[in-house]
């Protein structure tokens, strides 16, 4: 599935979002500001109920996205047990 998006601010404004494949490193053009939407556990919007994180190597100026499974079924059960809306539990289970 797609990696979380990256945005870049250049001399002509912000181009469309782009994103590397999970596990892939990325290096952008020098002297450009970047915004990375890293993600987290739960409330996914891409159909993948996975935890997401990123590692930033400031020496090499590289950002690498990673995804890994977590117990999203237990998290969904806890949402239901707390009396929260069913749609929140479903989103945890199917990542959509």
């Amino acid at each position: 599935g797609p990696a979380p998006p990256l945005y870049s601010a250049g001399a002509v404004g912000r181009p469309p979002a782009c994103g590397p494949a999970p596990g892939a490193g990325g290096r952008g053009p020098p002297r450009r500001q970047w915004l990375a939407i890293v993600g987290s556990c739960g409330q996914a919007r891409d159909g993948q109920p996975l935890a997401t994180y990123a590692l930033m190597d400031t020496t090499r100026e590289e950002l690498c996205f990673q995804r890994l499974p977590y117990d999203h079924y237990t998290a969904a059960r806890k949402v239901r047990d707390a009396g929260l809306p069913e749609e929140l539990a479903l989103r945890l289970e199917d990542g959509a």
Side-chain angles (χ1 to χ4, degrees), residues 26-71:
R27 192 172 210 184
R31 297 184 190 94
R32 191 173 276 191
Q33 292 181 333
W34 288 87
L35 171 66
I37 308 300
V38 176
S40 62
C41 291
Q43 302 303 309
R45 303 293 194 273
D46 62 2
Q48 296 187 58
L50 301 170
T52 305
Y53 66 96
L55 298 173
M56 177 68 189
D57 183 332
T58 56
T59 302
R60 295 175 60 181
E61 296 182 358
E62 290 183 351
L63 179 66
C64 183
F65 290 100
Q66 298 290 333
R67 292 190 164 197
L68 64 141
Y70 75 103
D71 188 0

